[in-house]
Amino acid sequence: MTAIERSRTVAVVGAGTMGQGIAQVALLAGHRVLIYDINAALAADGVGIVQDRVERMAAKGRLDRTEAEEAIGRIAAAPVLADLADAALVIEAVVEDVTVKKTLFAALEEVVAPDALLATNTSSLSVTELAGGLAHPGRFLGLHFFNPAPLLPLVEVVSGFATDPAAAGRAYATVLGWGKTPVRCADTPGFIVNRIARPFYAEAFAVYEEQGADPATIDAVLRECGGFKMGPFALTDLIGQDVNEAVTRSVWESFFRSPKFTPSLAQRRLVQSGRLGRKSGHGWFPYGPDAPAALPHTAGPEKAPEEVTVVGDLGPAAELAVLMEEAGIAVTATEHGGPYIQLPGEGQLVLADGKTSIEFADVVYFDLALDYRGATRIALSAGADTSERTLAEAVGLFQKLGKQVSVIGDVPGMIVARTVAMLIDLTADAVARGVASAEDIDTAMRLGVNYPLGPGEWHERLGRDWAYDLLHHLDERCPGGRYAPSLALFKLGYAEDAEADVPEVEGA
């Protein structure tokens, strides 16, 4: 599909931060750009802000001086909506209100040419609903940029129920030509990123509500063990608890209050108390010059075992056998039984599987890691019947491997493992329902929220049955539907098993 020609005008309605950023992207791609706002003074200010940014880019050598001067001359404020008549693409970035947006697009439809594309930058409203009253809904779609638009590469190209595939293709090609990374998405609550990302917040909040660990410890485990760039407690403090909770609640309501998306009561109480995060001076953590640092729980030093036995295939944790040998711990392996690490005191060290330590005589669970060699922290959980010796040996073992250790409560699935399993499940379900391709979801989660791996990549690495088995165990211990594995996840595992059973055909 052909992109919109650089000679055509792109208009942005809404002169706030997002509108300014989108205007800057289109401008530096070579288009003439018009900014309209119901408040004409804000539109003029928006133009000035974009021009100043372009000037600073040239001053710092990031943009050719001639190109900068030409760009500065191509952007202007539109005093009235009728001035957008020659725009080939109009992108709306106004307040997240259905009535306001629908009124705006009805007016735009009377102004622009029949071949012009109309796009909303909404992050939470239905593209299909916004197009519902238009005479020509086929040219309407979502172009969801991420803030700050000039810096973040991801753009979700959202097709509503009535969007013409040719219009979506033209928008996709245009955004790609602007140097962005577009991903295709059907109109679904939260689109890709805000739908798939819910467990990253929800599971952390659930562990906290279950008294499994404090916010600083949960954040540290997800960062230092799971490889996520920022923990969910610090991240929601940065986003704003009111904003994050509103998105969660919107997705939950849009999915008819599915237990998969149930909001956190603890976060609701935070919002009700006015502790909204950095902007209010206090959220999950306190902020300000005198605020104490929130430190994760870290276990004191323990003696490492001199020898262990690896029973069975440790699967995603197989690298631990190599690391233990490198650290000077004698490792004996046996193929039968397990999988677990047998400790000298007869206790067992088991990778998180959705079960709890209290179900067994003497077990310590350890959490999933993105990379056990590179991880700097490991979470362990023990039950009431776990012996002190077993827990001490488990702590000492990982300390011997150079890891800090956080001991959390006996929470099924622990922290990283249950989060990753839920991300994998929601992704499988979204792909099966035609929301987006697995590749586009992986791209969106890596670029949109900076995940270390896309959920599909996690799935391939961990094995097709891993997430299903963990969630099945979690669902047995926490019934209600939240952790029930999706049919799509079941089918993925079954399909691989079926393929493995098919005999090879010789000859041909």
Side-chain angles (χ1 to χ4, degrees):
M1 183 60 64
T2 305
I4 294 172
E5 298 81 0
R6 301 298 171 92
S7 59
R8 300 289 302 274
T9 298
V10 171
V12 177
V13 179
T17 300
M18 185 57 75
Q20 296 165 18
I22 296 171
Q24 180 178 330
V25 171
L27 181 67
L28 294 181
H31 293 276
R32 173 176 176 255
V33 173
L34 295 175
I35 296 180
Y36 171 82
D37 195 284
I38 193 169
N39 184 328
L42 291 181
D45 289 345
V47 168
I49 289 170
V50 174
Q51 290 174 328
D52 287 345
R53 289 178 186 166
V54 172
E55 176 61 38
R56 287 198 300 272
M57 291 175 67
K60 294 179 180 179
R62 294 165 51 198
L63 186 65
D64 179 78
R65 172 59 63 181
T66 300
E67 291 180 9
E69 292 176 354
E70 291 176 352
I72 288 171
R74 287 199 307 271
I75 186 170
V80 295
L81 205 63
D83 292 335
L84 309 185
D86 66 341
L89 168 64
V90 182
I91 305 175
E92 162 273 317
V94 302
V95 63
E96 288 285 88
D97 182 282
V98 170
T99 301
V100 171
K101 291 180 187 288
K102 292 185 75 169
T103 300
L104 169 65
F105 283 113
L108 282 169
E109 200 172 37
E110 299 296 323
V111 169
V112 299
D115 66 339
L117 297 181
L118 298 179
T120 174
N121 183 58
T122 185
S123 61
S124 60
L125 301 178
S126 167
V127 171
T128 299
E129 182 179 4
L130 294 178
L134 297 180
H136 304 288
R139 61 174 171 176
F140 186 85
L141 71 151
L143 286 178
H144 180 214
F145 289 76
F146 288 74
N147 191 31
L151 299 180
L152 295 184
L154 184 68
V155 179
E156 293 176 321
V157 181
V158 186
S159 292
F161 186 78
T163 302
D164 188 327
R170 187 163 171 79
Y172 182 98
T174 299
V175 171
L176 184 65
W178 291 357
K180 295 298 183 182
T181 303
V183 290
R184 295 178 175 87
C185 176
D187 183 25
T188 185
F191 307 143
I192 296 176
V193 172
N194 281 330
R195 171 177 175 159
I196 302 298
R198 291 352 292 163
F200 180 68
Y201 310 108
E203 294 314 308
F205 299 162
V207 171
Y208 169 74
E209 291 175 336
E210 293 163 19
Q211 301 291 296
D214 60 274
T217 299
I218 295 169
D219 272 8
V221 171
L222 283 162
R223 289 195 318 269
E224 300 170 38
C225 183
F228 293 92
K229 300 301 181 185
M230 199 172 190
F233 292 92
L235 181 54
T236 53
D237 270 356
L238 180 63
I239 295 168
Q241 298 302 331
D242 52 340
V243 175
N244 181 263
E245 202 251 0
V247 172
T248 298
R249 190 166 292 276
S250 173
V251 172
W252 177 58
E253 294 282 3
S254 297
F255 277 108
F256 308 103
R257 301 195 172 190
S258 164
K260 294 281 187 182
F261 301 99
T262 301
S264 162
L265 179 59
Q267 188 181 38
R268 175 95 288 254
R269 293 291 181 257
L270 210 62
V271 173
Q272 290 172 334
S273 69
R275 294 189 169 190
L276 306 182
R278 289 182 177 271
K279 62 186 176 184
S280 69
H282 204 302
W284 294 110
F285 306 113
Y287 297 92
D290 300 322
L295 301 177
H297 165 76
T298 302
E302 297 286 356
K303 184 180 178 180
E306 295 182 0
E307 60 182 5
V308 299
T309 300
V310 173
V311 181
D313 182 1
L314 295 180
E319 189 177 22
L320 285 177
V322 177
L323 297 179
M324 288 187 291
E325 289 182 331
E326 291 176 354
I329 299 173
V331 177
T332 302
T334 176
E335 296 180 359
H336 304 291
Y340 56 83
I341 298 170
Q342 185 74 55
L343 298 169
E346 299 303 317
Q348 297 174 355
L349 190 54
V350 182
L351 175 62
D353 59 5
K355 299 177 184 179
T356 58
S357 295
I358 201 170
E359 300 171 46
F360 306 97
D362 199 9
V363 163
V364 171
Y365 275 106
F366 65 95
D367 211 345
L368 177 70
L370 173 67
D371 169 19
Y372 283 100
R373 183 177 293 276
T376 57
R377 182 178 298 273
I378 294 290
L380 303 179
S381 68
D385 295 332
T386 304
S387 71
E388 293 183 5
R389 176 177 176 178
T390 294
L391 180 57
E393 288 176 344
V395 170
L397 185 151
F398 280 105
Q399 289 174 340
K400 184 73 171 179
L401 303 186
K403 320 299 182 187
Q404 291 186 306
V405 177
S406 293
V407 179
I408 69 170
D410 190 12
V411 178
M414 301 192 70
I415 299 172
V416 179
R418 70 196 280 179
T419 299
V420 170
M422 286 292 283
L423 291 171
I424 289 171
D425 185 56
L426 289 192
T427 295
D429 184 63
V431 172
R433 294 176 185 276
V435 172
S437 69
E439 294 75 17
D440 274 356
I441 292 176
D442 278 356
T443 297
M445 302 314 290
R446 281 188 280 101
L447 298 183
V449 279
N450 212 13
Y451 283 5
L453 293 176
E457 294 169 317
W458 273 111
H459 200 186
E460 289 296 327
R461 173 184 288 200
L462 296 170
R464 291 287 179 166
D465 292 334
W466 180 86
Y468 179 86
D469 289 344
L470 187 143
L471 291 176
H472 177 67
H473 295 150
L474 257 173
D475 184 48
E476 289 181 331
R477 287 148 186 82
C478 307
R482 178 182 181 126
Y483 299 109
S486 67
L487 176 61
L489 191 62
F490 170 78
K491 286 182 175 180
L492 284 175
Y494 187 86
E496 183 173 84
D497 291 342
E499 290 171 5
D501 292 338
V502 176
E504 293 184 6
V505 179
E506 297 182 0

